Amino acid sequence: MSQAERVLDPVAVPLSGERFSVLYRIAGDEATARARGEALVVEQTVEFPPDLLPPGDIPEQIVGRIERFRAGDDGVFQAEVSYAVETTSLELTQLLNVVFGNSSLLPGIRVERLSLSPALLAAFRGPRFGRQGLRDYLQVPDRPILSTAIKPMGLSAPALAELVYQFALGGIDIIKDDHGLSDQPFAPFGERVARCAEAVARANAQTGFHCVYMPNVTGSSPGLHDRAHEAKLMGAGALIISPGLAGLDAMRALADDDALALPLMSHPAFLGGFVTAPDNGIAHGVLLGQIMRLAGADASVFPNFGGRFSFTVEDCRAIAAASAAPLGALAPIFPTPGGGMSIDSVPEMHAVYGREVIYLIGGNLYRHDGDLAARARQFRALVEGLADA
Amino acid sequence: MSQAERVLDPVAVPLSGERFSVLYRIAGDEATARARGEALVVEQTVEFPPDLLPPGDIPEQIVGRIERFRAGDDGVFQAEVSYAVETTSLELTQLLNVVFGNSSLLPGIRVERLSLSPALLAAFRGPRFGRQGLRDYLQVPDRPILSTAIKPMGLSAPALAELVYQFALGGIDIIKDDHGLSDQPFAPFGERVARCAEAVARANAQTGFHCVYMPNVTGSSPGLHDRAHEAKLMGAGALIISPGLAGLDAMRALADDDALALPLMSHPAFLGGFVTAPDNGIAHGVLLGQIMRLAGADASVFPNFGGRFSFTVEDCRAIAAASAAPLGALAPIFPTPGGGMSIDSVPEMHAVYGREVIYLIGGNLYRHDGDLAARARQFRALVEGLADA
């Protein structure tokens, strides 16, 4: 036996045979697309010259397998690739690596669908609350949930808390930090959270509502974990995090933290690189629906169609669909369209999203005649009216 | 005073006046590009209707400021935008958010240059070792540093350790885990690191070399931190991490960890979304040079030109340049081109990168006639010869 054969022995443990699959969209003519597909299955797993692989389980099971290859609708090709579940270590980071680690760097490859297998689905708890859990938590049994953001950046903590108070008086269910509020000197994290949590509690005591204040805990590691727990202690009712900045797995860790146990909303900041180019990246529904859900978000913010971000209505429908599509035992989550929405947009959004949605209206709510709470009540009445219709 | 005025009071603390800047490439005709630029400076900061902002510091200082707007070389436009340093909280996550959080989701916006200011530069320690520190650590005073990866995924820990031993006998300075090795059942993290660290020490004892084994610690939070420390205890000489998967700030936290104090190499897995589309994302040099350095990498892996990833030679030169360009007190780091490179590529790479480089040759080193150590010696002799020439 040559040294090469001795060194490159086969896998030492039996594989289960369980596989999950990814549907890749591949640009190029058929020959190019086929070659890209064949390179892809090596790239995502062994990254090794195929002719040098030892015979047996490695080429037969560890290397990705093209299960189907076909022409797509729009002159591109689709390759359904399966991978041995063991390649993922049953970890989110390594799952994402197998799905789109190196291939994210290859031109003309896009993840269109992710079909997880039982062992993978069992490895992820996903959202702690999900749709029903969040409805119960907020005591909003069936209408769309109302959300807004406190801003602009630059306001002091007392000024932000006053905004929270007014929005809570007006009955906005979730009053979140603008995602750019972190720990700036004009509204430091601790002071902001303490004052805003107090403000929402004071309003709830007056109204009998169950509004929550949702601070942004995105921040530097390990401060992220500390901020989340500090926020809970100070009375935050939920948390928002930008996993593109803090790491998808950092969000998963918060969701899985039994000592924290707060609803989580994900924000898509710094994730646009994946969705803005049609030939590359990850499909909107997979990234902002399925993966956010897998990573523990109870609600996933994304730019609504018709706003300033150029997501199409189909992109948004795909996210909403992925938020509730069967995914093992994982609970469905709330699509949370936002980004330049106004109260006037609500009827059009209602037609697309139905009642299983969180409406996130930010800046437009600030267009009022001196009474923010009245403007919030107007938003709430509109949504209640549509839900009853 | 109306309620709106009362609530939207000006910033409560004086701003320093210090600003940093970002050069954005904006696609579109001039009117479109100007409009996108004007929307951008709001989007990245206050996310608020400009006409509703209270007068004073918020519109004058907190909102981004277009310092210059000009036509670029290729029919697109460039906007140099400055931001108040306070908007970043002096945190990596929030800095990235201001630079490219929401704007990553806007079509036709690309980050071309990032010009940090003194307070920001002082807030980041950056690479713990840097070029000179890593040269001292590895005892490689002036030639290019040699690196390879153990693979394919699927091998047992003893088989991988045997590869480490052979590469170390042959004098490869850094022998890293393939970035897809995490904690799979066929080579669990703990067993793999223990065996590989032992193998490199055994080879060094024979050769007198100072080769290091560099395990991949990318993994789920908080396991990442634990894996890094576990690896150090078991004798790992350096660590590789994929910040696209684990979070850029997770790498920064490892770099800043005085109890760890090991050299870090970054891998670009799952970051391709930022660099594959010309009209979107972040320029190669900024992401894979400057930002990796800011986030604490001592060496940044990227796909070399001429390989399978379609980075151009200009892209690679930009990364190498950003690895050493002035950046406050932050040490320069090593560009680490890899991805389908062969020993035959070395002279061409030498012409581009000179001596301040880590050559990462993976699969091609496995093309040998039964003696992996001899193949490694061939790689080393070639590089030593070029360095002497």
Side-chain angles (χ1 to χ4, degrees), chain A residues 43 89 91 182 221 249 308, chain B residues 43 89 182 221 227 249 308:
Chain A
E43 190 69 53
S89 305
E91 290 190 313
S182 57
S221 171
D249 196 73
R308 59 195 188 269
Chain B
E43 189 68 54
S89 305
S182 56
S221 171
R227 278 188 199 170
D249 196 74
R308 59 193 187 268

Side-chain angles (χ1 to χ4, degrees), chain B residues 81-365:
Chain B
V81 174
S82 74
Y83 298 102
V85 72
E86 286 85 355
T87 60
T88 69
S89 305
L90 302 181
E91 290 191 312
L92 183 60
T93 43
Q94 177 60 10
L95 170 63
L96 296 172
N97 188 38
V98 173
V99 170
F100 201 53
N102 272 8
S103 57
S104 76
L105 293 149
L106 292 167
I109 308 269
R110 187 171 174 88
V111 174
E112 297 264 288
R113 192 173 66 214
L114 178 56
S115 304
L116 300 177
S117 63
L120 267 172
L121 288 166
F124 293 99
R125 186 148 100 177
R128 178 178 289 270
F129 289 80
R131 285 187 186 172
Q132 192 56 50
L134 191 58
R135 286 193 175 284
D136 294 345
Y137 185 80
L138 296 172
Q139 303 193 30
V140 179
D142 48 23
R143 64 164 166 78
I145 292 171
L146 312 176
S147 177
T148 192
I150 53 170
K151 45 182 157 182
M153 180 196 290
L155 293 186
S156 65
L160 292 166
E162 176 65 18
L163 295 172
V164 170
Y165 179 67
Q166 296 293 330
F167 283 131
L169 279 185
I172 304 296
D173 303 303
I174 298 173
I175 303 156
K176 74 173 191 68
D177 279 349
D178 207 27
H179 85 284
L181 302 182
S182 56
D183 189 31
Q184 287 96 349
F186 25 85
F189 180 79
E191 184 194 355
R192 183 175 83 244
V193 175
R195 288 183 184 271
C196 291
E198 182 280 327
V200 80
R202 183 157 40 90
N204 284 343
Q206 286 179 253
T207 59
F209 292 153
H210 301 89
C211 305
V212 298
Y213 165 61
M214 175 189 269
N216 173 36
V217 294
T218 309
S220 285
S221 171
L224 171 72
H225 171 270
D226 297 345
R227 278 188 199 170
H229 281 269
E230 187 184 351
K232 181 184 169 115
L233 279 176
M234 291 193 286
L239 305 173
I240 186 161
I241 181 170
S242 299
L245 297 164
L248 279 157
D249 196 74
M251 181 167 73
R252 183 210 53 75
L254 291 185
D256 285 352
D257 184 345
D258 290 330
L260 186 65
L262 287 179
L264 299 181
M265 181 179 278
S266 63
H267 188 283
F270 211 64
L271 284 173
F274 288 105
V275 293
T276 43
D279 282 346
N280 295 95
I282 302 178
H284 296 75
V286 177
L287 182 65
L288 298 173
Q290 189 180 14
I291 291 177
M292 289 301 181
R293 190 174 164 199
L294 200 63
D298 297 294
S300 171
V301 175
F302 59 89
N304 194 38
F305 63 94
R308 59 193 187 268
F309 290 95
S310 307
F311 276 35
T312 67
V313 68
E314 291 75 25
D315 296 335
C316 295
R317 281 188 201 276
I319 297 168
S323 299
L327 193 67
L330 275 65
I333 65 173
F334 280 107
T336 307
M341 295 298 96
S342 72
I343 292 186
D344 296 338
S345 318
V346 169
E348 185 186 21
M349 292 168 81
H350 182 69
V352 169
Y353 299 107
R355 74 183 185 107
E356 296 299 339
V357 65
I358 298 177
Y359 288 127
L360 172 56
I361 298 187
N364 178 263
L365 279 195

